[in-house]
Amino acid sequence: MVLLYAVIVAYFGLACDPNTGLVAYPAGCVAVILHPKKNKQTHILNTSSLTPGALVLLFVSAQIIDWMVLSLQSGHMPCVRVWDVAEQAQVAEVQCHKYGVACVAFSTNSSYIVSVGYQHDMTVSVWEWRKGTVIASNKVSSRVLSVSFSEDNSYFVTAGNRHVKFWYLDASKERRVNSTVPLIGRSGLLGEQRNSMFCGLSCGRGNMASSTYCITSSGLLCQFNSRRMLDAWVDLKVSMTTSARCLSVNEVFIFCGCADGTVRLFSPQNLHYITSLHRPHCLGVDITQGLQPGHLFVADPKAEYPDTLALTFDPVTRHLTCVYNDHSVYVWDVRDIKNVGKVYSALYHSGCVWSLETYPDMDLSRSCLPPGSFLTCSSDSTIRLWHSDPGLVQGTSCPRNLYSHDLLRIVYVGEDTQHLQTDGERGEGGGMDAKSGIRVLGISPDGQHLAAGDRNGNVHIFGLQFMDQLQKIEAHDSEVLCLEFSPAETGLHLLASASRDRLIHIFNMEKSYSLEQTVYDHSASITAIKFTEVLMVSCGADKSIYFRTAEQSSEGLNFARSHHVVEKTTLYDMDLDATHTHTAIACQDRNIRVYNVKSGKMKKCFKGSTSDEGTLLKVQMDPAGIYLATSCSDKSICIFDYESGECVATLFGHSGSSTLPPVSLLPLTVACLLFLPSLSSSSSHLFLPPISFFLPLPPVSLLPLTVACLSSSSCSP
């Protein structure tokens, strides 16, 4: 399983293991364990039933025996879980918060875990995770953004909005008999910084173990002494509105993550400035130009750079891992701070992934893209070309670049680069996804053109040879929900687009995509269109299915209604079977209804989800006609035997509902289901990009893209 992910994390959502050099981060309900040098991933899958807006954050306890990952959730009655990395199994679980867990930390001896709830939860708890019991707890009135244990485990510190507090474990343990006792806490003496937002925190190490370091959102690095007094501070000198977000402290350096891709280095002994690291790529970078190592380090004074959101430092390999707010990840080699090098980097979508299309198999002489390529689009207004096999790309028109192992090209639709950055604050407050970006993709049967529908109703036509825009059609008054090219075997060269404005436009590809016909039948949003032979089938939120037949007249081609079926439930998606004689439709009542496209009569109906909750939102047929995959709003993917209707596998990985376009103020996101035929006639691959809510509560927005392998004998993620 490969995860092409995008992640925004608070600094406590990123961790490293000094013993192995591995880096851990969350991607939906999956904890990804990355080996940066080898570009290899392993995964820990949380299959528990998560509440809406649930997420995974990570902390690592580096031990000689094993390596533990700590995960937490948001939503009603969340849990904190501990996972053994080697065994990929959960070893402990505790539930001590009501609304969500804002931050967590292992003690340095790995005996305790401290968890802090969201502001409305107002609880900080310490528990012995091996026993699963809370040993001490107390209330905290301020919003907490960060927590850190001291090196000797005698206390930990929390920081947040006008809040720095020292909590003493030794005093609490002395009062404990066999029950939870109140935590003993003392507020830090903030002095002139009493009104600051402390967004990053770390206790000192080595000779500076008695000190505590914090950064403020206004751009100050602060040092507290052993008496909890604000002893010194220094200006990070980053002239931005929100200039500092995270820090990482070791015996030698303090790394401060700032706006505009800046990372400052300071001495923990005296807060003296040492140097600044290289910034990552600029926003809107053309990655196809990044073929030489020096391309990354060419500075452009007019360019904008993504903000640094998360840092973690590996003291053994001396690698610094950074996450930026455009969902990119970099691992820097800082063994020589005067000659910093890049070990690993990856660029991912910074918004909801709405659609995915694989490039069709064809002769290399006619192909525009390498075999096995696929494209995705997002609300970040980009279209991205991916490939997972490095060996097949060498020598093609899309050579490997120094920015990403998997990403071959980025097409920016529009000139506004602000969509490439995630706005909003970390933690309980966060920005909502704006109504922008590319909503749906379609690839022409000859592999020459790419159609992209945006959320403003425009249809963009790109040439896949050079990924240049050929046309922009102002087609609809609302977002484009589906695009469909007529198959080559029909003999037609048409493109159909449908929208929330209830219209279907049919364009003639041979006449420079001129408008051939507009269909007005539907009375609500149109959710799916399919062509087969001389037929066109559409369904929508008006619970209607229209079957139309192509007729040639003196005025040109016209699709006339042949059958009209009305169901009692909303119809969300549709796909044709391998013979193109039947269409399977995903319905709101969690059933799959199969219709004959010529007669319009229902052939069969079976349950499309193993759950009694939620709604079917996506359906995709296996090209071999063996399997059918469904996506449900309960965050699960189910694989069914198409003939018998029996569920043969269930896949998890979503951190929120995967659904069709938002119908309320909460912008949900789409999980695209796409089977890719493999070399073996008995197997295929299923692409699953599960995506989280963008809610005000969680401090993490996640965009994982999962590739799972299915065969005729077994179906497992």
Side-chain angles (χ1 to χ4, degrees), residues 48-338:
S48 63
S49 178
L50 301 182
T51 54
L55 53 112
V56 178
L57 295 182
L58 305 175
F59 260 91
V60 176
S61 171
Q63 304 179 83
I64 297 176
I65 300 176
D66 54 14
W67 184 35
M68 298 294 175
V69 169
L70 178 62
S71 72
L72 59 89
Q73 300 173 323
S74 70
H76 181 62
M77 304 301 288
C79 292
V80 178
R81 294 180 169 89
V82 180
W83 300 79
D84 186 292
V85 173
E87 300 295 331
Q88 296 191 4
Q90 181 176 310
V91 295
E93 175 182 334
V94 70
Q95 192 281 312
C96 53
H97 299 283
K98 294 181 179 180
Y99 305 109
V101 186
C103 48
V104 287
F106 271 110
S107 62
T108 51
N109 63 5
S110 304
S111 297
Y112 304 104
I113 287 175
V114 59
S115 60
V116 184
Y118 283 163
Q119 185 173 2
H120 298 294
D121 189 88
M122 300 177 62
T123 303
V124 53
S125 299
V126 179
W127 53 291
E128 291 183 278
W129 62 270
R130 288 183 175 88
K131 296 180 180 179
T133 58
V134 176
I135 63 171
S137 183
N138 211 327
K139 295 292 185 179
V140 56
S141 58
S142 301
R143 178 186 173 195
V144 176
L145 297 177
S146 182
V147 60
S148 178
F149 260 98
S150 66
E151 191 172 48
D152 63 1
N153 302 291
S154 62
Y155 67 93
F156 64 90
V157 187
T158 56
N161 184 23
R162 296 185 291 181
H163 168 88
V164 175
K165 197 163 188 175
F166 294 73
W167 305 87
Y168 296 93
L169 286 181
D170 289 342
S172 299
K173 285 188 289 185
E174 289 175 2
R175 299 177 56 185
R176 181 173 182 248
V177 182
N178 289 315
S179 60
T180 302
V181 299
L183 269 171
I184 305 301
R186 296 289 184 269
S187 296
L189 306 178
L190 305 182
E192 296 180 14
Q193 304 304 322
R194 58 185 175 276
N195 293 319
S196 296
M197 171 75 80
F198 294 90
C199 53
L201 164 71
S202 182
C203 293
R205 296 292 182 258
N207 295 331
M208 302 304 295
S210 61
S211 296
T212 301
Y213 302 92
C214 300
I215 57 170
T216 69
S217 59
S218 59
L220 296 179
L221 170 61
C222 303
Q223 179 180 4
F224 290 83
N225 60 27
S226 58
R227 300 188 302 275
R228 312 189 317 279
M229 295 180 60
L230 180 57
D231 204 26
W233 67 87
V234 62
D235 192 346
L236 297 175
K237 296 184 178 179
V238 183
S239 56
M240 302 292 288
T241 304
T242 304
S243 57
R245 298 296 292 271
C246 52
L247 87 166
S248 179
V249 177
N250 59 78
E251 297 182 15
V252 183
F253 299 120
I254 301 175
F255 298 94
C256 298
C258 308
D260 209 30
T262 303
V263 177
R264 306 270 199 228
L265 272 67
F266 293 86
S267 168
Q269 281 75 28
N270 48 26
L271 300 189
H272 284 179
Y273 171 74
I274 299 175
T275 189
S276 295
L277 300 186
H278 291 295
R279 290 188 289 190
H281 61 280
C282 62
L283 296 174
V285 63
D286 183 0
I287 64 172
T288 60
Q289 301 299 313
L291 304 179
Q292 302 299 324
H295 188 268
L296 178 63
F297 304 120
V298 176
D300 183 355
K302 297 182 180 180
E304 295 183 50
Y305 295 86
D307 298 343
T308 311
L309 288 189
L311 295 172
T312 185
F313 179 70
D314 186 339
V316 177
T317 62
R318 300 182 74 82
H319 288 170
L320 179 71
T321 302
C322 301
V323 174
Y324 301 90
N325 75 338
D326 68 341
H327 294 219
S328 60
V329 181
Y330 280 73
V331 180
W332 303 99
D333 186 342
V334 294
R335 287 176 293 183
D336 182 0
I337 60 174
K338 296 181 179 179

Side-chain angles (χ1 to χ4, degrees), residues 531-606:
F531 285 104
T532 173
E533 297 180 356
V534 293
L535 297 172
M536 182 177 72
V537 186
S538 64
C539 65
D542 57 359
K543 307 177 184 180
S544 294
I545 311 168
Y546 287 95
F547 300 84
R548 304 176 185 86
T549 304
E551 299 176 351
Q552 191 69 42
S553 65
S554 58
E555 298 180 357
L557 190 68
N558 181 68
F559 282 89
R561 185 197 308 177
S562 55
H563 302 287
H564 176 208
V565 177
V566 179
E567 285 293 346
K568 296 180 180 180
T569 182
T570 301
L571 312 172
Y572 280 113
D573 195 27
M574 171 176 58
D575 199 18
L576 297 170
D577 66 2
T579 64
H580 286 198
T581 59
H582 293 83
T583 179
I585 299 181
C587 305
Q588 187 179 29
D589 61 3
R590 298 181 300 282
N591 284 323
I592 294 291
R593 290 175 169 84
V594 179
Y595 292 87
N596 185 296
V597 296
K598 290 186 177 180
S599 66
K601 294 183 178 180
M602 186 169 67
K603 177 185 178 182
K604 60 181 177 180
C605 176
F606 59 91

Side-chain angles (χ1 to χ4, degrees), residues 5-57:
Y5 68 96
V7 56
I8 296 181
V9 292
Y11 86 93
F12 47 80
L14 185 66
C16 64
D17 177 19
N19 296 324
T20 62
L22 299 177
V23 176
Y25 56 82
C29 292
V30 179
V32 179
I33 314 299
L34 172 70
H35 195 302
K37 284 190 174 181
K38 296 181 179 180
N39 188 32
K40 299 293 184 181
Q41 295 181 5
T42 57
H43 312 93
I44 297 175
L45 183 63
N46 185 0
T47 58
S48 63
S49 178
L50 301 182
T51 54
L55 53 112
V56 178
L57 295 182

Side-chain angles (χ1 to χ4, degrees), residues 401-452:
N401 59 82
L402 61 88
Y403 291 99
S404 176
H405 294 277
D406 308 296
L407 184 61
L408 301 182
R409 189 187 293 266
I410 303 176
V411 177
Y412 302 95
V413 183
E415 299 180 355
D416 186 3
T417 61
Q418 294 307 308
H419 296 309
L420 300 174
Q421 302 183 82
T422 301
D423 57 1
E425 291 186 51
R426 262 182 9 196
E428 296 102 312
M432 301 261 292
D433 187 33
K435 188 177 176 65
S436 61
I438 306 300
R439 180 61 182 79
V440 64
L441 297 177
I443 298 177
S444 62
D446 60 4
Q448 299 299 308
H449 289 172
L450 172 71

Side-chain angles (χ1 to χ4, degrees), residues 454-473:
D454 66 28
R455 300 183 72 184
N456 292 315
N458 303 310
V459 176
H460 306 261
I461 307 298
F462 296 89
L464 285 173
Q465 183 68 47
F466 303 105
M467 296 298 289
D468 55 330
Q469 183 167 307
L470 305 178
Q471 284 183 259
K472 178 182 177 181
I473 307 170

